Amino acid sequence: MTTTAAPQAKTSVFEDFIDIFYAPSEVFTRRRDGRYGIALLFLTIVLAVLYFMSSGLLSAVFEVEYATQMEKLLRDNPSMTADQLEKGRGFAEMAQKIAMVIGIPIAVLLTGVVLWVAGKLFGAVQTFALAMMVATYAFFPRIVEGILNGVQTLLVDATAIDSRYDITFSAARFLDAKSVSPIVLALAGRIDLFVIWSLVLVAIGLHITGNIPKNKAAMAAGVVWLGGTLFALFSAMRM
């Protein structure tokens, strides 16, 4: 007598949003269909809301960084007027708010591309859609980071902030932004609790969806980290 295995109960995509924090392997196994649209939309909306909830603290960061950029701009262009600087400030502030919304799916896309290429280097059979799915869920720890930023809004003295790294959970938080070069800060900023958490999810996702050993998936995740680090260093060199 043969027995037929009971079909697995369908799991809502919204359950994935909880499970990704404590059972990521199950999430990546369930989402082998490569669908990530709803997850990406949810991630974008939640992070945007958290950003605006933490706007007080983030505005302080913006003011510090804008003042630093303006000092450099005035040294290079001493003929600039106060009116021009104020117009530039308004434009930069608006651009930052827009970037915080559209920048999320762009960051996921870039991560997905790098992950897909890195996976191929180590023999993964992962499709691009699966790479995007893994990249999307790998960004979910940013939700926890956004919540903690909201808490910091209540606890951190905004006048004591010297750079964006002062509110991160990275090694750069313990460095003096006024005396350390932007490149060193950028490197230290990549040694970050939430960056590492995301990379662990990337490795797990690639191992499951790319059908490669865990050690190779970990090395591919290292390539993803390197790609993000190079981008951070490039941005730092322009400051």
Side-chain angles (χ1 to χ4, degrees):
M1 180 178 178
T2 59
T3 58
T4 305
Q8 279 190 327
K10 279 192 173 182
T11 306
S12 166
V13 67
F14 293 101
E15 291 182 54
D16 293 344
F17 303 162
I18 303 299
D19 293 351
I20 193 62
F21 293 105
Y22 71 92
S25 296
E26 294 180 16
V27 174
F28 292 129
T29 299
R30 290 197 299 257
R31 297 306 156 199
R32 285 178 178 272
D33 57 7
R35 295 181 181 178
Y36 59 90
I38 294 176
L40 181 56
L41 178 63
F42 175 83
L43 177 71
T44 303
I45 292 173
V46 171
L47 288 181
V49 169
L50 289 173
Y51 166 75
F52 287 107
M53 287 177 63
S54 306
S55 59
L57 184 63
L58 297 175
S59 292
V61 173
F62 169 80
E63 292 294 343
V64 169
E65 296 196 337
Y66 185 76
T68 301
Q69 292 171 2
M70 287 306 99
E71 286 178 11
K72 182 177 182 297
L73 191 61
L74 282 173
R75 287 197 302 268
D76 298 337
N77 303 275
S79 61
M80 289 193 70
T81 65
D83 184 54
Q84 288 175 317
L85 290 176
E86 186 57 30
K87 286 181 180 179
R89 180 188 177 285
F91 176 79
E93 191 170 9
M94 180 60 67
Q96 184 194 45
K97 291 178 180 179
I98 295 173
M100 283 304 301
V101 178
I102 66 172
I104 296 163
I106 291 174
V108 171
L109 172 62
L110 292 175
T111 301
V113 170
V114 176
L115 173 59
W116 182 67
V117 173
K120 296 304 179 187
L121 294 176
F122 292 94
V125 295
Q126 186 185 53
T127 64
F128 181 69
L130 283 171
M132 283 296 298
M133 182 274 293
V134 171
T136 299
Y137 282 103
F139 266 76
F140 268 62
R142 298 293 182 178
I143 294 176
V144 179
E145 183 181 30
I147 293 172
L148 291 178
N149 280 340
V151 174
Q152 288 190 96
T153 300
L154 304 175
L155 303 176
V156 175
D157 179 7
T159 60
I161 293 175
D162 293 323
S163 79
R164 72 180 70 182
Y165 297 106
D166 287 346
I167 64 169
T168 66
F169 297 86
S170 71
R173 185 172 187 144
F174 304 101
L175 300 178
D176 183 0
K178 293 180 179 178
S179 60
V180 176
S181 76
I183 292 178
V184 172
L185 280 173
L187 281 173
R190 292 293 293 165
I191 307 172
D192 180 278
L193 171 64
F194 294 99
V195 171
I196 294 171
W197 187 352
S198 293
L199 287 173
V200 170
L201 293 180
V202 163
I204 294 171
L206 182 57
H207 165 64
I208 292 172
T209 64
N211 196 28
I212 60 174
K214 292 180 180 179
N215 62 330
K216 289 188 175 182
M219 287 188 284
V223 173
V224 174
W225 179 86
L226 180 61
T229 301
L230 291 175
F231 179 79
L233 290 175
F234 175 74
S235 300
M237 286 187 291
R238 295 178 60 190
M239 293 179 66

